[in-house]
Amino acid sequence: MKRAPLIALIDGPLAADAPGFASRADICAMHPKAAESPAALHASSMAAAIHANAPGARILGLSIFAGRLSTTLASVAEALRRAAESEAEIVHCSFGHCKSSPLMDEAAAAVLGAGKLLVASAPARGAPVYPAGCAGVVSVQGDARCNSSQWSLLNLPGAQYGACPVTPGVPVRGASLAAAHFTGLLARACMSGGIENMLQYPSFTGRERIGTGGPQAA
């Protein structure tokens, strides 16, 4: 079995005791209470979701949220640049900017040009967000049909894939968590069978449809 991949998690400040913690670099100046902030909670939730499917994965934390879940385009671009130059095989972004920009496009392209997978969350409703909307990015939204080890092939305008949007006991949910679950599945596939093989076997295909009987495969 192949060694577990290194994953660059671009998010809030990742604690040293987070699952799979390998190292951390702060792109922006951290708030004095950053360790107790929503940003830290978000980062730890993403790490836990990744590890749910890939317990051996190692995580490089690249902090772009100083405390609140907001940042600058420049910080995102710098984090993507560092991820491109790192040894990470997968780069994970559970956030989105509402507008496309050449700076974001170039930074995302640098990651892809370095031969890495770039995974980003995409909302189920509304306009596209970035980097999920950038060319070549693996875009993921929440799909209530999926459990934590399942994924769906959606091929929607805003998202290629769907994954589980919740984890029991974790307050963060939605597209952010779904993307993290999917990143964990990709990491697991890297270790056994390969990603191309994994992507041949979705648990569901097509848009999630909610009717009187609950979620159904399209």
Side-chain angles (χ1 to χ4, degrees), residues 91-192:
V91 181
H92 181 88
C93 301
S94 274
F95 59 85
H97 278 249
C98 61
K99 294 182 179 180
S100 178
S101 74
L103 185 60
M104 180 78 80
D105 290 342
E106 291 169 8
V111 172
L112 300 173
K116 307 174 191 301
L117 285 173
L118 176 53
V119 182
S121 57
R125 297 180 180 84
V129 298
Y130 302 87
C134 296
V137 174
V138 177
S139 52
V140 186
Q141 71 180 41
D143 188 334
R145 297 171 295 184
C146 300
N147 63 34
S148 61
S149 62
Q150 295 176 319
W151 63 277
S152 57
L153 177 63
L154 301 177
N155 282 331
L156 297 174
Q160 295 169 281
Y161 304 104
C164 182
V166 298
T167 294
V170 175
V172 179
R173 57 183 57 207
S176 288
L177 204 66
H181 279 135
F182 195 76
T183 287
L185 290 170
L186 293 173
R188 185 171 70 185
C190 284
M191 292 182 279
S192 177

